[in-house]
Amino acid sequence: MSDHQPTPSVCPLCAVGCRLVPGENQRARGSAGPANPNGRLCRKGVGAYRVGDGDADRLTEPLVRQDDTLQAVSWDGAYERIVDGVEGIKTTHGPNALAFLGAPHCTNEENYLLQKLARSLGTNNVDNRARLCHVSSARALSDQVGWPATTTSLADLEASDIILVAGANPAERQPIAFNSFVRPAVLNGARLVHVDPVGNRTTRLADYHVAPRPGTDALVFDLLSAAVVERGDGVDRAFITDRTRGYDSFAASIAGLDRERTVARAGVDATTIGEVVDRIAEADRVAALVGTGIEGDGDEPNAAAALLNLLLLTGNLGRRGTGLYVLRGLVNEQGATDAGCVPDRLPGHQSVTDPKARESIAAAWGVEPPSEPGQTASELLAAFGDDIRGAVIVGENPAVSKREPEWIRRRLDSLDLLVVCDIVPNETTRYADIVLPVAAGVEKTGTFTNLDRRIQRSRPTRAPPGTARSDFDVLRELGSRLVAGRELFDYTCVGDVFDELARVAPTHTGLSYDEIGPEGCQWPADTDGVLYSESFETPDGLASFVTAQHAVEPTATTVDSNNVGRLQLVAGGRASEFEIDRAHSGRQLRMYPVDAHDRGIEPADDIVVSNGQVSVETSVEITDRLREGTVYLPATVADPLLRSGGSTVTVRPASESTDDI
Ligand code: SF4
């Protein structure tokens, strides 16, 4: 097994998967790869080697809590304490009193080992936050076509006639993918449609900007489908007949959609919608790229499902230049779930309730995984100190989230055992009983799977400091010490684990660590990057339409008096914790000119944003890059407002004394 090939690292800072090598002065240099064919890096990627390098805070030795303080111990001492704690909890409370949280920063092999450790101990309580990032898109893809993953390749966008970007800003968030694949396609004649309440850098390249009211994305996609059906010539009858089911129910569910009222409800421009419908109906190949902006709050209709309906209706799946792309954010969001680091899915997205899948895993492991789905990360967190007595957290910092900080602190503090693996102390390590120092992204050997299912090998370009070691080494050792039958975790190298993943995960069948070359490889092995060209990954091989889920509410006639003067708050993306250039991450509220004028707000004014319970102070940018009636805040600024449950807000100049308008 060769872990020492001179392959570049994979940029650990986002899911595009650019390749890089060390340059001068701690800067990274791009190395041409499948995700960055021009060998370019974005500004963030150039700083990839600075993460954790020479950081005075860097953890260098294991720490164990003694007399209420964390004190340095040997690795053996730390492992022994963990083994005692885990075994004690398992004996007293059972395996389901344990929780394991993996991370989209960790490699495929590390996430695989974590879920194997949890399941070998007898619990499916294993999760990672990647599962939460695109939950409705993943659900729609799983339910309607098969796998929760991008259906074709970034490079295939060159064949697209229409690229529809919804709820995302790839020009800023996935810049190298945008500039390497979307921009060239558009310059070559593809039309770009941007569906987002807020105009941003992606909008600048767009031919059409559709700005729906927040929460009405699904309605807009249903409206597009209804108009395509009404127009007739864009409907792919042969595709619908041969490759789908449920069309009649879907068609009936959108047949009554009143176009005028729907346009008013969504607040979109009817002329723009008409032109987008014409372009989609005329196009041979339509691809859709979705971000977290269409995720909704859980109660809203699933916008990704409505978008998939539109793609199925027009025969836009299973060919180059078509399909649905999930614009994932963190480096291994896709791989962490592929590896089975989720409570209801085994490696390769097999259900834990499927006896055949469990049998096949048992044949490889010698231990059968439990059949009851485990709890999700947010359920586990809520049960900390009650049903959950011990947690192993790898590369995550749950003390910082949208939840109320004091509530989280109480939960973390009430565990009998909290083990945290990280590169630096953080808000969660404050509550840990054992803290293990681990390697940063560019210090690891292993594979990462990017946003178009491409698996790339990454090599370490420096050693971790002190006695820190990779999460891979930590989990392999914990598995050997905790699970009866040490041979279950008796791996000589990362490649052994990848090859085991390829044996047990149907998605990865036929892949081999040693055969992953400089271009990486996409799963599944035999598709040339395009999923579903012959058949969908469903029991009968057909894709499913789902029925439209909503009725159009009256608009002009009904006004909620509680909402008079209030504005709809849209929260932006959450900056990565590895964000290098924190000084440039803006805090400003963006506001439409008429809304600002009505409230006597001038450009750059200090303002107060309030939902009636909580207020935040910031400054304002007045811009027409978002729709009237909507304001935009970066997630980190919006969090206190969102936590307290208010997504409509008032905005006033800070100089005014009134608390609410
Ligand atoms: Fe790294 Fe993403 Fe930038 Fe590429 S686009 S250099 S993967 S942060």
Side-chain angles (χ1 to χ4, degrees):
M1 193 65 58
S2 46
D3 276 348
H4 303 291
Q5 291 179 8
T7 48
S9 306
V10 176
C11 174
L13 302 184
C14 100
V16 174
C18 300
R19 296 196 318 179
L20 42 78
V21 292
E24 293 176 358
N25 301 325
Q26 276 188 309
R27 293 162 68 89
R29 264 192 310 114
S31 169
N36 57 336
N38 298 321
R40 297 206 178 101
L41 302 177
C42 71
R43 189 178 59 175
K44 191 161 80 165
V46 167
Y49 289 112
R50 286 160 49 195
V51 176
D53 191 28
D55 191 334
D57 281 350
R58 195 68 197 267
L59 291 162
T60 58
E61 51 195 347
L63 305 171
V64 165
R65 191 166 298 282
Q66 285 166 351
D67 303 326
D68 214 28
T69 58
L70 286 169
Q71 298 182 16
V73 294
S74 67
W75 276 94
D76 250 349
Y79 285 138
E80 280 167 19
R81 176 91 175 257
I82 295 169
V83 169
D84 285 349
V86 168
E87 287 181 343
I89 289 168
K90 193 175 163 208
T91 303
T92 310
H93 303 283
N96 284 329
L98 294 164
F100 296 82
L101 298 183
H105 307 307
C106 291
T107 63
N108 289 318
E109 295 76 20
E110 289 163 348
N111 279 295
Y112 179 84
L113 284 186
L114 185 72
Q115 61 83 37
K116 183 175 180 181
L117 175 61
R119 293 181 164 125
S120 301
L121 288 169
T123 181
N124 280 318
N125 284 344
V126 57
D127 203 0
N128 82 95
R129 88 180 132 109
R131 196 187 48 72
L132 304 173
C133 293
H134 297 267
V135 64
S136 62
S137 303
R139 189 181 311 127
L141 283 160
S142 299
D143 292 350
Q144 292 178 254
V145 295
W147 282 312
T150 292
T151 64
T152 44
S153 303
L154 286 166
D156 290 339
L157 288 171
E158 70 176 7
S160 302
D161 301 311
I162 306 277
I163 299 174
L164 188 154
V165 177
N169 180 12
E172 264 179 66
R173 307 291 290 181
Q174 291 89 8
I176 297 297
F178 187 81
N179 289 325
S180 301
F181 304 106
V182 178
R183 189 181 295 279
V186 171
L187 295 179
N188 214 21
R191 302 295 186 100
L192 180 62
V193 180
H194 192 208
V195 181
D196 201 303
V198 181
N200 50 43
R201 275 195 206 165
T202 300
T203 322
R204 288 182 204 160
L205 190 67
D207 297 281
Y208 303 101
H209 181 203
V210 178
R213 286 198 172 90
T216 64
D217 298 290
L219 192 59
V220 168
F221 299 137
D222 285 342
L223 177 64
L224 293 176
S225 289
V228 168
V229 170
E230 195 180 305
R231 192 185 135 120
D233 57 343
V235 177
D236 190 333
R237 302 271 169 209
F239 185 89
I240 291 169
T241 304
D242 296 344
R243 305 214 42 202
T244 71
R245 57 182 138 75
Y247 174 70
D248 289 344
S249 305
F250 165 65
S253 71
I254 56 170
L257 215 52
D258 180 297
R259 191 182 302 196
E260 210 172 300
R261 283 175 58 205
T262 308
V263 161
R265 166 81 182 94
V268 290
D269 178 66
T271 306
T272 306
I273 288 290
E275 290 180 19
V276 170
V277 168
D278 289 344
R279 297 295 87 75
I280 289 174
E282 291 157 5
D284 180 39
R285 289 164 198 260
V286 178
L289 283 55
V290 298
T292 51
I294 64 161
E295 282 296 307
D297 63 7
D299 296 328
E300 294 163 8
N302 187 329
L307 188 48
L308 263 177
N309 283 338
L310 176 64
L311 294 175
L312 291 172
L313 171 71
T314 49
N316 277 301
L317 277 157
R319 293 179 295 141
R320 292 184 69 236
T322 70
L324 190 76
Y325 292 68
V326 184
L327 291 175
R328 295 184 178 277
L330 299 167
V331 59
N332 206 28
E333 271 188 36
Q334 183 65 52
T337 49
D338 295 344
C341 210
V342 278
D344 59 345
R345 299 276 147 179
L346 298 165
H349 306 283
Q350 307 170 92
S351 172
V352 296
T353 61
D354 177 353
K356 280 201 180 130
R358 290 200 311 278
E359 272 169 34
S360 120
I361 297 275
W365 292 359
V367 175
E368 184 166 325
S371 57
E372 280 290 307
Q375 299 185 73
T376 64
S378 56
E379 290 168 343
L380 290 168
L381 196 56
F384 276 10
D386 295 328
D387 292 345
I388 301 297
R389 308 304 315 172
V392 177
I393 297 177
V394 180
E396 279 297 342
N397 185 9
V400 176
S401 75
K402 275 170 64 176
R403 309 290 283 267
E404 213 276 304
E406 186 49 39
W407 179 89
I408 293 177
R409 276 196 285 275
R410 278 201 308 275
R411 289 288 160 200
L412 290 169
D413 212 18
S414 58
L415 287 168
D416 300 336
L417 175 74
L418 176 58
V419 181
V420 179
C421 302
D422 217 312
I423 65 170
V424 289
N426 59 34
E427 293 79 356
T428 302
T429 58
R430 280 185 211 149
Y431 304 92
D433 299 292
I434 297 113
V435 177
L436 300 179
V438 291
V442 296
E443 296 161 356
K444 293 182 182 206
T445 300
T447 63
F448 296 101
T449 304
N450 81 344
L451 62 82
D452 71 352
R453 293 176 283 110
R454 186 171 297 278
I455 300 162
Q456 298 186 86
R457 284 173 58 167
S458 195
R459 72 181 174 100
T461 47
R462 64 169 190 251
T467 69
R469 48 185 73 170
S470 67
D471 296 295
F472 174 82
D473 286 337
V474 169
L475 292 166
R476 178 174 56 176
E477 185 65 28
L478 281 178
S480 294
R481 291 178 184 237
L482 277 165
V483 178
R486 293 176 65 92
E487 67 281 359
L488 276 188
F489 285 82
D490 191 14
Y491 304 102
T492 57
C493 64
V494 161
D496 288 353
V497 177
F498 183 87
D499 290 345
E500 183 177 300
L501 167 64
R503 284 196 298 279
V504 302
T507 45
H508 289 52
T509 300
L511 300 178
S512 149
Y513 186 75
D514 274 348
E515 288 171 15
I516 301 174
E519 292 300 301
C521 61
Q522 282 172 289
W523 66 256
D526 54 356
T527 56
D528 202 18
V530 179
L531 294 181
Y532 318 130
S533 53
E534 307 265 315
S535 132
F536 290 94
E537 197 62 27
T538 55
D540 59 6
L542 301 177
S544 297
F545 284 95
V546 293
T547 52
Q549 299 165 35
H550 41 66
V552 179
E553 296 163 14
T555 52
T557 53
T558 304
V559 176
D560 180 349
S561 59
N562 292 326
N563 275 336
V564 170
R566 295 178 81 87
L567 300 161
Q568 185 74 41
L569 175 64
V570 177
R574 197 168 297 278
S576 160
E577 61 213 65
F578 289 137
E579 185 74 62
I580 301 297
D581 198 355
R582 288 175 192 275
H584 286 84
S585 52
R587 291 182 47 85
Q588 282 183 318
L589 176 102
R590 290 189 211 154
M591 191 172 206
Y592 193 74
V594 171
D595 293 327
H597 178 267
D598 289 351
R599 291 159 177 79
I601 293 171
E602 300 286 339
D605 267 1
D606 288 333
I607 43 107
V608 177
V609 188
S610 170
N611 63 9
Q613 297 178 51
V614 173
S615 299
V616 296
E617 285 194 44
T618 184
S619 58
V620 70
E621 177 193 347
I622 298 174
T623 172
D624 59 5
R625 288 191 292 135
L626 75 171
R627 52 169 301 114
E628 186 178 351
T630 303
V631 288
Y632 169 93
L633 270 178
T636 45
V637 185
D639 270 350
L641 298 159
L642 299 174
R643 257 186 228 126
S644 60
S647 60
T648 62
V649 294
T650 59
V651 182
R652 64 177 170 80
S655 53
E656 285 185 10
S657 57
T658 320
D659 189 46
D660 234 350
I661 293 177

